[in-house]
Amino acid sequence: MLKASQPIPETTQWAVFLRNHDELTLDKLTEAERQEVYAAFGPEPDMQIYHRGIRRRLAPMLNGDLDCLKLVHSLMFALPGTPVLWYGQEIGMGENLSLPERNSVRTPMQWNDRQSAGFSTAPPEKLVRPVVDRGPFNYKKINFEAQSRDPDSLLSWMKNLIRVRKESPEIGYGDCQLIEVDEPSVLAHRCVWGDSVMILLHNFSSRPVTVRLDFDERVYELEDRLSDQRYQVKIKHSHEIELGRYGFSWLRPARRGS
């Protein structure tokens, strides 16, 4: 995908998203590939639509796994282009499969835990669609107000991700290059913009892994932009980065003389 998406005109950008207001379309896959995706993310018939897609929101597709949700959002923001969020994705909203067709993912925004999720003061029966009021993703448990007060919430983490992305012009403007690493579960790439470089690592495995990176002799330190950690580059200008379960790192090398 990274290779096929380049080059494009300098005045354009790809729009990169994980979910939107329609179904997750699988029509470009083979039948075997489509069945594999169904089994992982939409195994029940009412989760599927038009014999080609999935009518679910992202959080329940990933079983509400916070580590996995952070991983896929980190990857989306680390790719060249403009990241696009479907409303409610920043708090991990779920769908309402009792609604017909694509309306399952178009339920009212869950602002708080009060009537109609704070979406409207109108009587619930007057809403254009019912709020999600059952299951683990109901508005009493998943809402903007509660997550705004929780520094460990998905929303708080997303705010920091957006801030770091805005402070990383290498991703938005730079050239993207794949990096070969020994660990098969890790996608590694770098974004180069002038003299500035970002190295982005994403571990798709549920087990921790270690990735070895090699640098030129001028690199002496790595700054992890998403965790505010710094790593000293040691033996023979290389460093081993530990990535946890569905872990990721956005690394900016520091060079002597820069």
Side-chain angles (χ1 to χ4, degrees):
M1 177 268 182
L2 290 174
K3 294 179 179 179
S5 65
Q6 300 180 72
I8 59 175
E10 293 184 0
T11 56
T12 63
Q13 285 272 13
W14 290 106
V16 185
F17 57 89
L18 296 168
R19 285 298 285 111
N20 58 26
H21 64 290
D22 288 334
E23 72 274 9
L24 176 64
T25 303
L26 309 175
D27 61 326
K28 302 302 181 184
L29 303 181
T30 66
E31 183 59 28
E33 291 170 337
R34 188 157 45 247
Q35 292 305 320
E36 183 178 357
V37 175
Y38 278 150
F41 301 119
E44 302 299 327
D46 66 343
M47 298 174 179
Q48 304 167 16
I49 188 171
Y50 305 146
H51 306 289
R52 67 165 190 242
I54 296 173
R55 64 185 200 108
R56 305 187 72 194
R57 274 186 172 265
L58 180 68
M61 285 173 61
L62 299 177
N63 299 314
D65 188 319
L66 191 58
D67 290 339
C68 206
L69 283 167
K70 288 180 179 180
L71 169 71
V72 295
H73 282 100
S74 172
L75 179 60
M76 180 179 74
F77 276 74
L79 293 174
T82 300
V84 180
L85 291 171
W86 177 230
Y87 79 88
Q89 192 173 314
E90 70 278 18
I91 62 172
M93 272 180 58
E95 72 274 342
N96 183 349
L97 294 173
S98 69
L99 298 177
E101 300 184 334
R102 296 164 169 167
N103 286 337
S104 59
V105 300
R106 300 172 180 174
T107 56
M109 177 64 184
Q110 296 171 196
W111 292 110
N112 55 47
D113 63 359
R114 295 182 285 280
Q115 179 176 293
S116 299
F119 179 77
S120 173
T121 57
E125 64 272 13
K126 295 292 186 180
L127 297 183
V128 62
R129 292 183 195 95
V131 298
V132 177
D133 59 2
R134 298 180 183 179
F137 300 95
N138 75 79
Y139 72 91
K140 296 282 188 180
K141 295 182 179 180
I142 304 294
N143 65 75
F144 183 90
E145 186 177 273
Q147 292 197 20
S148 294
R149 298 192 296 262
D150 181 1
D152 296 322
S153 67
L154 178 61
L155 176 63
S156 295
W157 182 85
M158 287 289 295
K159 288 180 178 179
N160 183 60
L161 177 66
I162 292 170
R163 176 185 61 81
V164 173
R165 175 64 165 77
K166 288 182 175 180
E167 296 172 354
S168 306
E170 301 94 336
I171 300 174
Y173 299 110
D175 294 325
C176 179
Q177 307 159 359
L178 290 172
I179 301 174
E180 294 292 334
V181 293
D182 292 336
E183 181 55 57
S185 68
V186 173
L187 172 66
H189 70 283
R190 67 168 65 88
C191 294
V192 182
W193 184 55
D195 294 331
S196 187
V197 178
M198 287 282 288
I199 297 172
L200 305 117
L201 308 172
H202 291 86
N203 175 27
F204 292 94
S205 173
S206 59
R207 63 177 180 83
V209 298
T210 299
V211 179
R212 182 185 175 111
L213 299 173
D214 296 311
F215 302 96
D216 65 54
E217 60 185 13
R218 291 180 59 200
V219 174
Y220 68 93
E221 186 179 68
L222 301 172
E223 177 189 8
D224 192 330
R225 297 291 289 117
L226 284 183
S227 68
D228 294 326
Q229 294 189 58
R230 293 179 181 272
Y231 309 93
Q232 297 297 317
V233 177
K234 298 179 180 178
I235 305 170
K236 295 182 179 179
H237 313 297
S238 67
H239 195 78
E240 291 184 341
I241 302 295
E242 295 183 0
L243 299 174
R245 171 184 185 271
Y246 301 127
F248 47 87
S249 287
W250 290 25
L251 303 172
R252 179 174 282 155
R255 288 184 169 87
R256 295 178 178 84
S258 61

